[in-house]
Amino acid sequence: MMASEGIGALLRGIREAAGLTREEQAALLQAAQGGKWFDPENLKRWETEKRLPTPMWHALLAECYGRPAEEIVRAIVVSRRRRRLHRLIGEEAREEGSAVDRRKFLGVAAAATGMAGLPDIAEARHGINAGLSTSDGGGLAYLDGAFERHRGGYRGRPPSEVLGQMKGDLDLLRELLGRPHPAAVRKDLARTAAGITGLVAIIQHDRDDQRDAVGWFATAEQAARESGDRHMLAWVLSRHAMVPLNYGAPHAAATMAIRARAEAGRSPSAADARAAAARLDSVQGADTWFGYAPQKHHVHLSQAFTLMGRTREAYVEQESALALTKSPSVMTRALIAVDRAVCVRADGDPATAADLAVSAWLQLPAAYRDGLVRSRVESLCRSLPGRPGSTLRDALTSR
């Protein structure tokens, strides 16, 4: 069933294909929301399009009907446009008072979209839908919500799983960016695009795809500049700085962080480090990819001090980070453990360093044994001599 047929046809078609009554489908929706009452009459209103599902229902419909959330949104947009067209037709008919004038209105609309001469009114409708150039408010509202959901971080999920869940949102974003919008809406869309593409860049960085991460950060920077939001631009640049920092180029990271600081201006933002961290507000200091929580601050300082060989300060930051790290921050705990092992190696105890790294590696679920964590452990392994190096190498190659 194509979403171009509208939300009513989409929901009704899926339900009937499954051989379910409205009451049975309503029971499934009720079960999916933890037993909270769902009125079958509400479903009837959606199927007949007397009412359209509001954004609070989109995720539930996607889950229960086995369709991507963006397909649900598109079907609702089609239905909304159809209702708008019908309203225009009704107004035209009332003003002119004849069926002839109504047909004339449809002919003009079809001609305006290159569909003149087609015999079927449904085909004219499809042409009108294709030719409409107004802003897709439903799609933009959905993407704003998607950005809000994704910015919360991994929450115990492997990077590849999170990236897979974002694919549909990226497809919808690409589609919306290809349409014309009023200037104000375009700026909002650009800001959302900067946020979502910046999150993809972070994930690709964590998956050890440095080249692709840099490409996504460049896209995010371009979108942020188009939006005119300096704090969004500062966030993109500051998160981009983590790529060279985590891969052994602290001077390049510092240069990019200085650019981020300049874009942020005088007010505190997530682009700041030690001096500003204590002054961030609740949103900027939240434990999300878009905030700069104290825990994240200590994790970054741990990595910076570790790279510089300032092990005493690195140990302090590692303890502070662990004290603030909540389960199930699998990747964060692993990276802190590797930092600790690198510091122990720098302090002249390669055997203990290998033991720490092996322990951290073996505790990692399989889904996390790649990307940035593997890159860090492999780098340590290359620095370990003789038996310690062999011990860690064996762990890396084990299943």
Side-chain angles (χ1 to χ4, degrees):
M1 183 68 60
M2 296 297 292
S4 60
E5 291 301 316
I7 191 63
L10 180 67
L11 299 183
R12 184 172 60 254
I14 296 173
R15 174 178 62 77
E16 291 176 349
L20 298 175
T21 65
R22 280 202 186 103
E23 288 71 20
E24 290 169 334
Q25 185 69 52
L28 292 177
L29 289 162
Q30 180 170 316
Q33 55 180 352
K36 184 179 178 181
W37 166 248
F38 185 89
D39 189 351
E41 286 299 310
N42 202 29
L43 180 58
K44 181 179 179 180
R45 286 189 286 268
W46 290 343
E47 289 189 357
T48 58
E49 298 194 1
K50 291 183 178 179
R51 294 280 183 86
L52 300 181
T54 58
M56 67 174 289
W57 298 107
H58 295 176
L60 181 66
L61 290 175
E63 177 185 351
C64 290
Y65 284 84
R67 289 290 192 274
E70 62 270 17
E71 183 176 344
I72 299 295
V73 172
R74 288 174 193 152
I76 293 170
V77 170
V78 168
S79 297
R80 186 180 296 117
R81 288 175 174 171
R82 180 165 57 211
R83 294 172 74 176
R84 186 186 306 130
L85 178 60
H86 287 174
R87 185 170 60 252
L88 289 173
I89 292 172
E91 292 171 356
E92 184 76 7
R94 285 192 297 273
E95 291 174 3
E96 300 298 333
S98 74
V100 173
D101 291 324
R102 184 169 67 176
R103 288 196 297 272
K104 180 180 178 182
F105 170 79
L106 284 171
V108 171
T113 57
M115 302 300 292
L118 290 176
D120 194 311
I121 197 70
E123 293 180 348
R125 175 174 60 79
H126 290 313
I128 293 168
N129 285 338
L132 288 173
S133 61
T134 54
S135 172
D136 186 348
L140 180 55
Y142 171 78
L143 282 178
D144 285 339
F147 176 43
E148 198 70 28
R149 292 193 302 274
H150 295 314
R151 67 192 281 177
Y154 292 121
R155 298 292 188 258
R157 299 167 297 170
S160 296
E161 179 183 326
V162 176
L163 193 62
Q165 293 171 352
M166 294 183 70
K167 184 181 183 304
D169 298 329
L170 293 171
D171 290 341
L172 179 58
L173 175 60
R174 180 177 59 184
E175 180 182 334
L176 288 180
L177 286 170
R179 304 177 191 173
H181 300 280
V185 174
R186 179 74 187 186
K187 292 185 71 171
D188 288 342
L189 181 58
R191 185 184 187 282
T192 300
I196 290 178
T197 54
L199 297 182
V200 174
I202 292 171
I203 297 172
Q204 289 297 72
H205 160 261
D206 290 346
R207 295 180 67 241
D208 200 25
D209 195 335
Q210 299 178 53
R211 188 169 186 172
D212 201 46
V214 170
W216 280 102
F217 273 123
T219 299
E221 181 179 345
Q222 179 181 347
R225 291 189 185 280
E226 182 177 331
S227 75
D229 188 324
R230 294 184 65 184
H231 280 183
M232 174 61 77
L233 178 57
W235 173 76
V236 171
L237 292 173
S238 64
R239 294 311 305 245
H240 192 173
M242 295 309 302
V243 177
L245 176 61
N246 282 321
Y247 289 101
H251 294 294
T255 299
M256 191 164 293
I258 290 171
R259 288 179 59 204
R261 175 62 174 159
E263 292 293 347
R266 294 184 177 182
S267 60
S269 79
D272 297 317
R274 186 188 298 274
R279 304 188 347 254
L280 298 178
D281 62 29
S282 59
V283 174
Q284 295 167 329
D287 186 13
T288 68
W289 276 328
F290 199 72
Y292 197 64
Q295 178 256 24
K296 189 181 300 181
H297 178 63
H298 292 300
V299 170
H300 292 167
L301 285 177
S302 166
Q303 171 64 359
F305 285 132
T306 299
L307 282 172
M308 291 185 287
R310 293 164 58 174
T311 58
R312 180 179 298 178
E313 292 156 298
Y315 290 138
V316 172
E317 298 302 335
Q318 289 155 20
E319 291 298 328
S320 297
L322 284 174
L324 295 172
T325 299
K326 300 177 182 178
S327 182
S329 300
V330 178
M331 183 176 294
T332 297
R333 293 180 184 279
L335 291 174
I336 294 172
V338 176
D339 277 355
R340 174 65 59 90
V342 172
C343 288
V344 170
R345 166 69 180 88
D347 287 341
D349 190 349
T352 301
D355 289 342
L356 289 170
V358 168
S359 176
W361 181 258
L362 294 180
Q363 291 179 48
L364 272 177
Y368 291 87
R369 292 186 178 185
D370 56 11
L372 181 59
V373 177
R374 175 175 281 276
S375 177
R376 292 262 196 95
V377 174
E378 287 177 344
S379 177
L380 172 62
C381 185
R382 289 190 294 270
S383 74
L384 293 173
R387 187 176 182 82
S390 298
T391 300
L392 183 53
R393 195 172 300 110
D394 290 344
L396 282 168
T397 55
S398 65
R399 292 289 180 181

